[in-house]
Amino acid sequence: MAKFVIAPHMRLHEWVARDKGYFDREGLGYQSGSHYATIQALEQYLKPDDIKLSFADGLLFRRMELLIDRQVPAASLFSGPYYFMEQLGFRKIIDSTFMMASLITGDPDPEDVRKYFRALRLAQRDIDLRPELYTHYYREEFPPRFRDMMDTRRWGPGERIVFEPYTKEVYEESFAWIAAHGIFPDGEMGAGVYENAILQLSAT
């Protein structure tokens, strides 16, 4: 039987849940996928100018290196790359918030998805309580060539998972905002049908 494959996404939760045994506690048979493989799956959505290094390092790392090399005056970063730039002395000029969706591929058992998110909820509790105990996991997300430069002791908790319903109103407002800002080319935004874009599963 195929296992539930977990691909980390530049956050701490999956590492905490794995090492504290939360996936096992939930009875989730799983295997860890590659963060870089997850990034590679997004290659089709990026412009050629974004891909000048090995794509396995990802767009965030490309932006990060451009900033380090002084090839760009500013870059949009989050989580680990943002904390790394802060450690190196770069300064934040504007802050923003964002919402990240979870992508489910294939046809996993819905109960496995529930087990996964229940484990992440336990991990979120731990991160909220003592984030400094877990920031060392960021090293797992970075290409090896950066790791000797990193001091994660003062890095922040990064992405926070909020276990609240993603409502139709929020979806439609977000869809309209993305369309208005031309983030995707014409005709590539999708149908914008809320019911086709979500999977409702209670994590409790």
Side-chain angles (χ1 to χ4, degrees):
M1 175 184 246
K3 289 187 176 181
F4 190 85
V5 178
I6 297 171
H9 188 270
M10 192 52 67
R11 65 186 180 197
L12 305 177
H13 303 71
E14 283 81 1
W15 305 103
V16 174
R18 181 197 68 182
D19 287 358
K20 299 200 79 169
Y22 295 149
F23 292 133
D24 295 332
R25 180 190 301 185
E26 292 294 334
L28 178 63
Y30 73 98
Q31 65 187 57
S32 295
S34 164
H35 171 61
Y36 303 133
T38 305
I39 296 177
Q40 284 179 318
L42 302 177
E43 182 172 9
Q44 59 183 308
Y45 300 110
L46 301 180
K47 299 175 183 177
D49 288 346
D50 291 330
I51 310 170
K52 294 182 179 177
L53 299 175
S54 165
F55 188 77
D57 293 345
L59 179 56
L60 278 175
F61 300 123
R62 171 63 181 152
R63 292 174 181 167
M64 188 181 73
E65 288 202 337
L66 288 173
L67 196 57
I68 291 173
D69 295 339
R70 307 288 183 177
Q71 295 183 42
V72 295
S76 174
L77 302 171
F78 69 90
S79 198
Y82 164 74
Y83 295 130
F84 188 39
M85 291 293 92
E86 188 177 52
Q87 175 200 314
L88 295 179
F90 289 84
R91 183 172 61 90
K92 177 174 64 179
I93 57 176
I94 192 170
D95 205 353
S96 64
T97 62
F98 64 93
M99 289 188 291
M100 192 79 80
S102 294
L103 300 179
I104 299 172
T105 61
D107 188 25
D109 184 339
E111 184 55 32
D112 282 345
V113 179
R114 293 186 184 97
K115 292 174 182 178
Y116 168 71
F117 280 107
R118 285 197 296 263
L120 294 193
R121 178 177 290 196
L122 293 171
Q124 182 66 72
R125 177 202 61 190
D126 293 337
I127 295 166
D128 286 342
L129 183 63
R130 294 287 306 277
E132 75 280 4
L133 296 179
Y134 311 110
T135 53
H136 65 90
Y137 287 115
Y138 284 118
R139 294 175 56 83
E140 306 293 338
E141 300 279 358
F142 273 70
R145 68 179 179 274
F146 294 117
R147 293 176 185 171
D148 289 342
M149 303 168 61
M150 296 165 58
D151 181 357
T152 63
R153 290 174 296 176
R154 294 179 61 188
W155 292 23
E159 178 178 326
R160 190 172 195 280
I161 302 177
V162 178
F163 292 89
E164 296 289 340
Y166 187 61
T167 66
K168 185 173 184 179
E169 290 75 18
V170 171
Y171 173 85
E172 291 176 345
E173 184 174 341
S174 301
F175 192 91
W177 187 95
I178 293 169
H181 286 77
I183 294 174
F184 291 96
D186 290 343
E188 295 187 16
M189 273 284 293
V193 180
Y194 172 75
E195 291 74 14
N196 294 340
I198 66 162
L199 176 63
Q200 291 187 324
L201 290 169
S202 173
T204 58

